[in-house]
């Protein structure tokens, strides 16, 4: 049965549905599939249920006929969080990329960060993943992050996203390190009201990340939109060298100087040159892309 | 955690040739069901891991109902439960059987 990529919502789809629909039909072959039962050795200690794939699907497939490696996190299993096995599968995939040399590695983020029940192993996995991505990129293989799941890319997942060659994000996708509830708990509701969904999305959501150059493509919430974005971004991966790193440092320093005194994302958008910042959250993907085209700084080769 | 295993004899094998399928996600009120065509054609086994203890008789009834409806001969079914209600379990089992037939 053919999948309708236009009709399938990225946000609603499971990790397995995303992988199957994103890649060329029937091309996906999983590594360490559920039948291998590589489950968490830690969760039973906490009387918590395990998943056969520990919440991440990894394997190889084709995108437009070109070979790719792919990892997809399942945001509904423990918030897509990194446990020991989960992290090891992602690190293993990235290390395999150095030998296989695919056209790209695609990481379908959907994670709240480290799984607290296996925090040390999870933190280690985050660090190993970032190191592995740096090595893969240094070998000339682009690593593309796709972010549009309900868990977003938070905690260590947000850090890993920052090491990718390119990122595509949808309206529902969020990228940050500390989650809204974490900020509120530490700094108070006056600083950040985690129940104010509009505030959360305009501070951490896909549109803000795209406008400020934190993501390189904005997608409507469909698998076809993410597939298009992935195809385009693979061809636009920046170099991985000292010049790129220095450009990124300069970009971030500049961003702080330009926007450091802003009290709300709408102020940032206004300063970027968006005519009607209050209209941004309601824009559809096409109108938003036109807005992005009208501001400076959203497209860059710093990373 | 509670582990439950139910074994049934079926009148016929589950149609289709697909060696395995998985459906569902381990999340609150949900479950994942892994089906593997590894048993003799008249045997079905369902193994369940659940954090909700004390519902053995309900699981037994839901599994017996599924076996009677689907006749899943030859299939070993493994379940990681996230606290799903019986109707959700029933739905996932039937979804899984359908995937194996496809």
């Amino acid at each position: 049965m053919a999948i309708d990529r236009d009709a399938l919502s990225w946000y609603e789809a499971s990790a397995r549905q995303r992988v199957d629909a994103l890649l060329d039909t029937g091309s996906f072959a999983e590594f360490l599939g559920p039948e291998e039962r590589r489950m968490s050795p830690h969760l039973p200690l906490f009387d918590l249920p395990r998943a056969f794939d520990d919440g991440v699907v990894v394997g190889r497939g084709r995108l437009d006929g070109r070979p790719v490696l792919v990892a997809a996190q399942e945001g509904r299993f423990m918030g897509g969080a990194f446990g020991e096995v989960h992290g090891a599968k992602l690190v293993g995939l990235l290390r395999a990329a150095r030998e296989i040399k695919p056209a790209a590695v695609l990481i379908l983020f959907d994670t709240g960060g480290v799984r607290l029940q296996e925090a040390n192993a999870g933190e280690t996995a985050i660090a190993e993943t970032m190191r592995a991505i740096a090595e893969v990129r240094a070998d000339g293989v682009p690593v593309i992050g796709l972010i549009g799941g309900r868990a977003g890319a938070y905690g260590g997942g947000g850090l890993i996203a920052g090491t990718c060659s390119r990122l595509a994000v949808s309206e529902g996708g969020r990228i940050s390190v500390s989650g809204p509830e974490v900020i509120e708990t530490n700094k108070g509701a006056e600083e950040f009201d985690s129940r104010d969904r509009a505030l959360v999305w305009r501070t951490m959501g896909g549109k803000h990340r795209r406008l400020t150059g934190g993501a390189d493509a904005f997608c409507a919430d469909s698998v076809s939109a993410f597939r298009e974005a992935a195809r385009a971004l693979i061809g636009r991966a920046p170099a991985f060298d000292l010049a790129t790193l220095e450009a990124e440092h300069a970009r971030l320093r500049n961003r702080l100087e330009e926007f450091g005194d802003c009290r709300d994302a709408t102020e940032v958008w206004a300063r970027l040159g968006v005519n009607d910042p209050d209209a941004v959250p309601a824009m559809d993907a096409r109108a938003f892309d036109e807005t992005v085209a009208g501001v400076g700084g959203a497209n860059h080769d710093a990373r | 955690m509670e582990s439950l295993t139910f074994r049934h004899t079926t009148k016929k094998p589950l149609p289709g040739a697909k060696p395995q399928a998985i459906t569902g996600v381990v999340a609150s009120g949900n479950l994942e069901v892994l089906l593997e065509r590894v048993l003799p054609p008249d045997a079905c086994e369902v193994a369940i891991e659940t954090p909700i203890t004390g519902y053995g008789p309900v699981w037994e009834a839901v599994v017996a109902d599924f076996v009677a409806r689907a006749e899943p001969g030859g299939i070993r079914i493994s379940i990681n439960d996230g606290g799903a209600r019986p109707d959700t379990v029933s739905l996932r089992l039937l979804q899984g059987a359908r995937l194996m037939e496809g």
Side-chain angles (χ1 to χ4, degrees):
Chain A
M1 191 176 65
I3 306 161
D4 185 349
R5 294 189 176 112
D6 295 326
L8 186 59
S9 159
W10 188 273
Y11 188 85
E12 297 291 338
S14 69
R16 288 179 184 281
Q17 286 173 319
R18 286 175 191 155
V19 168
D20 281 339
L22 176 73
L23 301 179
D24 296 352
T25 304
S27 72
F28 180 66
E30 187 169 356
F31 304 147
L32 292 174
E35 77 286 354
E36 306 251 0
R37 295 172 168 76
R38 290 292 182 95
M39 295 186 278
S40 165
H42 307 288
L43 294 179
L45 299 172
F46 299 91
D47 241 10
L48 288 167
R50 298 182 287 179
F52 291 120
D53 55 17
D54 205 37
V56 66
V57 179
V58 298
R60 70 202 303 173
R62 292 187 173 271
L63 187 71
D64 256 0
R66 303 171 76 195
V68 293
L69 294 182
V70 58
Q73 296 179 300
E74 177 49 69
R76 286 178 295 174
F77 174 65
M78 306 204 76
F82 282 82
E84 183 172 0
V85 174
H86 183 116
K89 285 171 77 173
L90 180 56
V91 171
L93 184 83
L94 288 160
R95 289 181 181 163
R98 300 190 69 193
E99 289 180 27
I100 295 172
K101 292 275 179 1
V105 181
L106 309 177
I107 303 178
L108 286 52
F109 289 96
D110 199 349
T111 183
V114 167
R115 191 182 295 168
L116 297 180
Q117 292 83 1
E118 33 195 300
N120 291 353
E123 297 283 4
T124 305
I126 301 288
E128 287 180 348
T129 301
M130 290 195 290
R131 159 68 63 151
I133 288 176
E135 288 172 345
V136 169
R137 289 182 59 192
D139 281 358
V141 177
V143 180
I144 310 295
L146 307 177
I147 300 167
R150 68 187 60 216
Y154 275 103
L159 300 179
I160 293 170
T163 63
C164 290
S165 313
R166 293 289 187 196
L167 297 176
V169 65
S170 67
E171 172 101 58
R174 294 171 293 166
I175 310 169
S176 200
V177 179
S178 298
E181 288 84 0
V182 177
I183 299 172
E184 181 179 320
T185 302
N186 284 291
K187 296 283 183 182
E190 298 79 15
E191 173 72 17
F192 201 84
D193 182 354
S194 67
R195 284 169 303 175
D196 184 343
R197 291 171 65 82
L199 171 69
V200 170
W201 256 265
R202 70 177 182 266
T203 309
M204 301 166 169
K207 280 177 172 163
H208 181 62
R209 294 303 180 213
R210 178 69 191 105
L211 274 169
T212 54
D216 310 282
F218 183 81
C219 302
D221 178 42
S222 70
V223 174
S224 56
F226 273 100
R227 183 176 154 93
E228 274 308 310
R231 281 155 59 167
L233 291 178
I234 289 172
R236 295 204 282 116
F240 187 68
D241 55 18
L242 187 59
T244 302
L245 188 65
E246 287 179 339
E248 177 70 346
H249 284 187
R251 186 181 77 87
L252 294 174
R253 189 170 56 241
N254 196 36
R255 189 174 73 177
L256 190 61
E257 283 167 10
E258 267 187 77
F259 309 114
D261 62 328
C262 290
R263 301 299 301 163
D264 192 283
T266 47
E267 290 178 36
V268 176
W269 304 341
R271 223 173 268 186
L272 279 167
V274 177
N275 285 332
D276 184 2
D278 292 331
V280 168
M283 286 177 185
D284 63 13
R286 182 175 304 181
F288 179 70
D289 272 342
E290 285 170 14
T291 301
V292 170
V295 305
N299 295 319
H300 56 81
D301 279 337
R303 264 291 158 198
Chain B
M1 296 295 291
E2 186 167 320
S3 301
L4 303 162
T5 303
F6 303 106
R7 291 185 184 84
H8 287 265
T9 303
T10 63
K11 295 189 195 74
K12 51 186 180 185
L14 188 74
K18 222 172 162 204
Q20 71 172 66
I22 187 164
T23 182
V25 172
V26 184
S28 180
N30 206 335
L31 74 164
E32 68 176 349
V33 177
L34 174 65
L35 304 94
E36 297 164 289
R37 206 182 291 272
V38 291
L39 298 179
D42 64 343
C44 176
E45 182 188 297
V46 181
I48 299 143
E49 293 279 323
T50 176
I52 316 289
T53 57
Y55 284 81
V58 178
W59 282 103
E60 186 175 6
V62 170
V63 168
D65 177 63
F66 163 71
V67 171
R69 287 170 74 175
E71 294 282 350
I75 309 297
R76 182 173 72 195
I77 296 174
S78 310
I79 291 176
N80 283 323
D81 176 43
R85 297 183 346 173
D87 51 348
T88 307
V89 176
S90 227
L91 176 77
R92 290 273 176 259
L93 285 167
L94 291 167
Q95 276 180 335
R98 177 62 63 86
L99 287 172
M100 293 295 278
E101 292 172 19

